[in-house]
């Protein structure tokens, strides 16, 4: 299930990152009205942030990448991807929300 055009990451990993990022982005936006950029904005910013940080974590944690390439992504690897995606989504939403508020 490895797609070499995506740098060795499985589609499952990318989907986990995007979904966790979207959830993290919405959680960050709703937790503080200062950073809230609306449901659609939070979701998009979160998915982008989750995808980016999820890819970085995969590069920095060779064990997660190796397990994924072998088609044996463990619960620990999935949890790592969920945490990285959620954190990346929250962080990107906060950054975009802060920039929006600064220009408004």
């Amino acid at each position: 299930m490895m797609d070499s055009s995506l740098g060795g990451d499985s589609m499952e990993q990318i989907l986990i990152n995007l979904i966790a990022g979207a959830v993290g982005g919405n959680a960050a936006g709703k937790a503080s009205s200062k950073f809230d950029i609306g449901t659609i904005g939070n979701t998009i910013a979160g998915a982008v942030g989750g995808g980016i940080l999820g890819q970085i974590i995969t590069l920095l944690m060779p064990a997660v990448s190796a397990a994924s390439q072998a088609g044996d992504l463990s619960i620990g690897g999935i949890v790592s991807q969920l945490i990285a995606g959620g954190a990346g989504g929250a962080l990107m939403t906060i950054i975009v929300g802060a920039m929006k508020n600064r220009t408004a």
Side-chain angles (χ1 to χ4, degrees):
M1 288 207 238
M2 187 175 74
D3 186 353
S4 60
S5 67
L6 297 173
D9 290 333
S10 70
M11 188 57 69
E12 291 85 5
Q13 271 186 292
I14 294 169
L15 288 173
I16 290 169
N17 291 334
L18 294 175
I19 292 168
V23 171
N26 277 294
K30 298 306 175 194
S32 172
S33 61
K34 181 178 178 182
F35 301 118
D36 190 13
I37 52 178
T39 303
I40 301 288
N42 292 340
T43 301
I44 292 170
V48 169
I52 292 170
L53 190 58
Q55 296 304 304
I56 292 170
I57 293 299
T58 301
L59 293 174
L60 296 177
M61 295 178 63
V64 173
S65 181
S68 172
Q69 290 177 4
D72 187 31
L73 191 59
S74 68
I75 296 298
I78 292 171
V79 170
S80 297
Q81 294 299 120
L82 286 171
I83 292 170
L91 184 61
M92 182 65 79
T93 300
I94 289 170
I95 291 169
V96 172
M99 289 172 43
K100 178 183 164 233
N101 287 336
R102 182 170 284 192
T103 60

